[in-house]
Amino acid sequence: MWTDIDRIIASNQTFVITSHIHPDGDAIGTELALCEFLRARGKDATIINTSPTPVIYRFLDPGGMMRAPASQEDLPRITAADAILIVDINDWKRLGMIGDTVRTSPAAKAVIDHHPYQDTIVPTTVIDVKASSTAELMYDLITSLGGPLTRPAANGLYTGILTDTGSFRFGNTTPTAHTITARLLEAGVQPAAIYDFVYNQNSEARLRLMGRVLSDMTIAYRGQVAWIVVTQQLFKETGALPEDTSSLVDATLTIAGVEIGLIFVETAEGTIRVSLRSRGRQDVNKIAGALGGGGHRAASGAVLPGPLDDAIRRVTGAIEATMNAE
Ligand code: 5GP
Ligand code: MN
């Protein structure tokens, strides 16, 4: 499985590692583990991301090795790299500001991901949709190529598996995910400390925002669909940040009978980010796909033009059509 990537690693010296905009724990944990691995092998490796690193994941990078958010000064490094390794994403567009530079760089390129896609963007692609996370694949890569698996790398991989499995509760929580997690604990990962870094760092503003959006939640379609909305106005009133909206949508699915939960977030540019979550019976990847987005069966997303009311009508209309078609 790793032969081609092994060859790229062995035959090159300078590497750029990147992942999607709005990186999650899997993207960042995987990037840091790969960077540690390459550096331990004497390679010159740099992580460059379009988006800033969310505060809750900065503990993974105490040395500040990630270049995020990327600036114009980072672009020549992408053009000059021997190889670019793209993780947790297989889509030029979702690389954000650096996407065009990555695409046109003469560097050797490889993609490692666990999301389903129709097409590959580079010839060297390892996509395993059965993997819980890209971190799980990265564990396999690092150990298959003989390591080393350093403590910081293990922390990154654990964070990736922890967050992509929803703390070991989603359908992707497999025996493999647990087996790898056990190996990561043996490598020194401290689960309580990581949980505290990732999940117990709410700002007061985020909790105020949560309270406001939940009290204004809409429930429709015989109680099967619930959605919450974050406007720019609400960001201003609560002092919360866009990254504070991540995982707020999960609360909608805790309601008995709700099959699909949604959050609509109005961005500063006026576009609307929608995140869709399914209890399992409905495939929200199909719904997001029809709206120009993507993701997985149980968790997907898309970006729609504003205004907010139009976006809500479009998405909930698509959901109603899916549910009626059954
Ligand atoms: P979230 O709602 O947490 O941003 O994303 C949930 C899942 O949907 C993730 O697996 C993410 O990769 C995918 N996703 C979110 N937004 C988009 C989008 O605009 N386009 C595509 N293709 N996938 C998305
Ligand atoms: Mn992932």
Side-chain angles (χ1 to χ4, degrees):
M1 182 153 113
W2 301 112
T3 312
D4 292 344
I5 288 175
D6 187 17
R7 193 174 307 123
I8 288 178
I9 292 174
S11 59
N12 290 292
Q13 184 55 32
T14 63
F15 292 80
V16 165
I17 300 165
T18 190
S19 188
H20 50 83
I21 52 171
H22 310 300
D24 56 10
D26 190 29
I28 287 173
T30 302
E31 290 182 309
L32 284 161
L34 178 56
C35 192
E36 276 277 315
F37 171 66
L38 292 174
R39 287 183 180 185
R41 297 211 148 191
K43 307 290 182 178
D44 173 348
T46 310
I47 300 166
I48 305 179
N49 288 338
T50 287
S51 307
T53 306
V55 173
I56 57 171
Y57 300 124
R58 290 194 190 155
F59 75 97
L60 288 170
D61 182 27
M65 67 162 88
M66 308 189 75
R67 305 188 69 87
S71 69
Q72 294 295 325
E73 285 151 44
D74 296 310
L75 300 182
R77 200 188 284 259
I78 295 171
T79 307
D82 295 335
I84 304 174
L85 305 176
I86 303 165
V87 299
D88 203 41
I89 183 68
N90 174 44
D91 179 346
W92 299 123
K93 211 174 65 221
R94 294 195 73 240
L95 288 175
M97 182 273 263
I98 66 170
D100 275 340
T101 311
V102 172
R103 187 169 51 77
T104 55
S105 168
K109 289 165 208 161
V111 163
I112 303 166
D113 193 10
H114 69 125
H115 297 99
Y117 277 93
Q118 302 290 350
D119 304 304
T120 57
I121 56 171
V122 296
T124 306
T125 294
V126 174
I127 291 182
D128 181 355
V129 297
K130 291 199 291 301
S132 66
S133 52
T134 306
E136 187 179 313
L137 296 174
M138 188 52 59
Y139 175 87
D140 195 59
L141 184 156
I142 291 172
T143 52
S144 298
L145 302 192
L149 180 70
T150 62
R151 175 83 72 95
N155 283 337
L157 297 179
Y158 180 85
T159 301
I161 297 173
L162 176 75
T163 54
D164 260 28
T165 59
S167 306
F168 307 100
R169 74 189 197 276
F170 297 157
N172 60 352
T173 308
T174 59
T176 306
H178 272 296
T179 302
I180 292 174
T181 301
R183 298 286 96 80
L184 295 172
L185 297 195
E186 285 163 1
V189 168
Q190 305 208 301
I194 292 193
Y195 193 94
D196 202 45
F197 276 123
V198 175
Y199 294 113
N200 296 340
Q201 304 296 334
N202 279 320
S203 61
E204 177 186 343
R206 180 168 191 266
L207 244 70
R208 303 269 175 222
L209 178 78
M210 199 188 292
R212 294 282 298 275
V213 298
L214 290 180
S215 64
D216 288 339
M217 176 174 56
T218 304
I219 302 187
Y221 310 127
R222 301 174 302 282
Q224 294 179 76
V225 181
W227 67 85
I228 54 179
V229 179
V230 186
T231 60
Q232 282 292 306
Q233 177 68 22
L234 205 47
F235 281 126
K236 282 200 200 81
E237 285 175 20
T238 57
L241 304 170
E243 69 192 59
D244 290 328
T245 62
S246 80
S247 78
L248 280 191
V249 65
D250 296 346
T252 58
L253 270 192
T254 65
I255 303 166
V258 168
E259 292 293 335
I260 297 179
L262 311 160
I263 184 171
F264 295 89
V265 181
E266 186 180 32
T267 69
E269 299 80 41
T271 58
I272 312 301
R273 270 203 61 76
V274 58
S275 292
L276 303 91
R277 297 291 186 270
S278 163
R279 194 180 283 269
R281 279 180 277 268
Q282 302 287 336
D283 183 355
V284 290
N285 187 29
K286 276 201 197 128
I287 298 166
L291 298 163
H296 315 258
R297 184 181 173 83
S300 65
V303 181
L304 302 166
L308 202 41
D309 287 346
D310 288 355
I312 294 173
R313 253 195 305 276
R314 234 179 108 197
V315 177
T316 55
I319 289 171
E320 190 179 17
T322 315
M323 291 195 150
N324 287 341
E326 284 183 350

